[in-house]
Amino acid sequence: MKNHYNLFLLLLLALTMTACGQTIKDNTDEKTYTFKDGDPNGIGKWYMGREIAHVMGYQGINWLERSDREKEENTSQLLKNMNIRPGDTIADVGAGSGYHAFKMAKLATEGFIYAIDIQPEMLQAISVKQSEQQVNNIQTIQGSEKSINLDGNSVSKILLVDVYHEFNFPKEMIESMHKSLTSDGKIYLIEYKAEDANIPIKEIHKMSEKQAVKEFEASGFRLEQNIENLPWQHCLIFVKEKMN
């Protein structure tokens, strides 16, 4: 298994060199982000003590659709954790190939799924699959480095699967999600556990509960629950902090 993941990560490093939408330095707030050398799989940009990882390029789409993903990640359990109702409106941020979006669409039969990604090639793959399967309750959205590009109070749930640690502007992205989420909405943050050294994933592609809480609390969220029933990943549920 470790050889399997080491091979993947070598491929990932090669793909990120051509991944779209990932810039190293911008006219950003120097008080928010710092820049220094770090992990070869990182972009040299840091937020609240964490180095941001490279985005996985669309060339790795087969990895997202691999046949053993259910066994490795227990994606069926993740969907149960989300307690998806027929009328839910959900944003799949960093949707990639739509692996989770299509599964959620079958549950939110009277609702809607926004499949959001920064790479147009990923969105095109979703559109092709959507046409082939005649799925009518998924809409692709071109995201940006700083916004998920949805209206305010437009979604009741947001899903982030192994993507948040790759956001080039995490602070701005969290604030964008805060705006788009309804007052009683929830964010489901799925990240490989940094606390477990036995998980065969590079450290930069992992995140600890402590680090995630620090970053989300800084932008108006609080941790409601960490459901620890996935093999390798945290399932962190964040809600908006109540205003006094």
Side-chain angles (χ1 to χ4, degrees):
M1 181 63 73
K2 289 188 177 181
N3 289 336
H4 173 68
Y5 273 87
N6 287 337
L7 178 61
F8 160 66
L9 289 168
L10 287 174
L11 173 63
L12 177 61
L13 179 57
L15 294 178
T16 53
M17 297 300 101
T18 58
C20 85
Q22 190 80 15
T23 55
I24 299 300
K25 194 168 184 178
D26 204 334
N27 294 325
T28 188
D29 184 356
E30 296 292 343
K31 294 181 180 179
T32 302
Y33 302 105
T34 56
F35 299 86
K36 60 183 178 179
D37 292 337
D39 193 291
N41 295 287
I43 65 171
K45 181 177 180 178
W46 300 68
Y47 178 57
M48 301 188 78
R50 173 185 63 86
E51 185 178 13
I52 299 167
H54 276 290
V55 168
M56 186 182 77
Y58 67 89
Q59 300 93 334
I61 198 168
N62 288 337
W63 165 258
L64 300 176
E65 295 290 336
R66 66 193 185 277
S67 59
D68 53 357
R69 186 169 184 179
E70 168 63 29
K71 179 180 179 181
E72 293 173 353
E73 299 182 6
N74 199 351
T75 56
S76 296
Q77 184 61 56
L78 165 58
L79 296 180
K80 291 178 182 178
N81 291 350
M82 293 182 68
N83 192 28
I84 296 173
R85 302 300 186 186
D88 280 346
T89 301
I90 306 170
D92 184 2
V93 180
S97 62
Y99 181 87
H100 293 91
F102 283 93
K103 294 178 183 296
M104 292 190 293
K106 293 179 180 179
L107 300 173
T109 52
E110 300 170 15
F112 211 77
I113 310 299
Y114 293 105
I116 303 169
D117 205 278
I118 197 170
Q119 300 183 71
E121 295 87 352
M122 292 291 198
L123 299 178
Q124 177 61 27
I126 293 174
S127 295
V128 170
K129 186 176 179 181
Q130 186 178 357
S131 178
E132 292 174 348
Q133 298 185 8
Q134 298 184 337
V135 178
N136 298 317
N137 60 338
I138 295 177
Q139 179 179 339
T140 57
I141 300 288
Q142 176 79 54
S144 73
E145 288 190 321
K146 295 184 177 182
S147 176
I148 63 174
N149 289 338
L150 289 180
D151 293 336
N153 301 309
S154 58
V155 290
S156 56
K157 293 174 180 175
I158 295 176
L159 176 64
L160 298 143
V161 178
D162 302 328
V163 68
Y164 172 74
H165 68 277
E166 297 178 350
F167 287 164
N168 200 18
F169 291 88
K171 182 177 185 294
E172 289 81 353
M173 287 294 285
I174 295 176
E175 291 172 351
S176 173
M177 290 185 285
H178 192 283
K179 177 183 176 182
S180 298
L181 198 65
T182 57
S183 59
D184 59 347
K186 298 183 179 185
I187 288 182
Y188 295 81
L189 178 67
I190 314 302
E191 290 283 351
Y192 287 106
K193 301 172 184 176
E195 296 89 343
D196 189 346
N198 293 319
I199 295 173
I201 294 291
K202 295 289 187 181
E203 290 303 312
I204 198 167
H205 292 289
K206 297 179 179 181
M207 180 168 285
S208 69
E209 176 182 342
K210 181 179 179 180
Q211 182 68 31
V213 169
K214 180 168 67 171
E215 296 184 24
F216 274 75
E217 282 187 347
S219 294
F221 285 97
R222 66 175 175 83
L223 180 67
E224 180 182 72
Q225 188 178 7
N226 182 0
I227 305 178
E228 292 283 16
N229 59 6
L230 302 180
W232 288 348
Q233 297 155 304
H234 288 300
C235 180
L236 299 165
I237 304 175
F238 287 96
V239 295
K240 289 185 176 182
E241 188 65 75
K242 299 293 184 182
M243 301 299 291
N244 293 328

